[in-house]
Amino acid sequence: NGVILAAIGSVRNYKVHDVSNRTFPSKDTFVQDPTAPADIVNMNGYVIDGRVHAHIVMATPDKAFGGHLEPGTNVFTFAVVTLGVLADGADLSKIDDKTYR
């Protein structure tokens, strides 16, 4: 288990999703462009039992945008991701459980 502390780099294309409503069940809106490059400005999130839950911020000359990183986002020049490794036994089981309060 770990925590994603930061990231920089660039992508050849992107796919992210954002929450698009305010009541449960939550609904996602997907934003993607299979031909648009962008710079990775930052990323944070968690690695939970080997599963990546990352939120990414990207920028083009016209805008900055972000959301939950989705498969289909491909690295262009490089992607440097800084991880903090958590101690064995760290319980992250509820960290992305949207029903847990």
Side-chain angles (χ1 to χ4, degrees):
N1 289 329
V3 59
I4 301 168
L5 300 170
I8 59 169
S10 66
V11 297
R12 299 174 54 83
N13 58 309
Y14 57 82
K15 183 176 182 182
V16 296
H17 84 259
D18 298 305
V19 174
S20 62
N21 66 329
R22 294 172 28 119
T23 59
F24 285 112
S26 62
K27 296 181 177 135
D28 297 327
T29 298
F30 289 83
V31 177
Q32 63 183 343
D33 191 324
T35 63
D39 282 339
I40 300 170
V41 177
N42 196 18
M43 185 186 316
N44 59 50
Y46 294 92
V47 179
I48 306 164
D49 295 328
R51 183 176 47 81
V52 176
H53 184 141
H55 292 245
I56 189 167
V57 179
M58 294 175 281
T60 66
D62 301 324
K63 64 183 177 182
F65 60 98
H68 182 105
L69 180 64
E70 288 289 332
T73 301
N74 298 305
V75 172
F76 178 39
T77 55
F78 58 84
V80 178
V81 180
T82 304
L83 297 173
V85 177
L86 299 176
D88 288 343
D91 182 11
L92 301 181
S93 62
K94 301 287 187 194
I95 207 143
D96 63 352
D97 179 350
K98 56 187 159 185
T99 63
Y100 180 73
R101 296 285 178 262

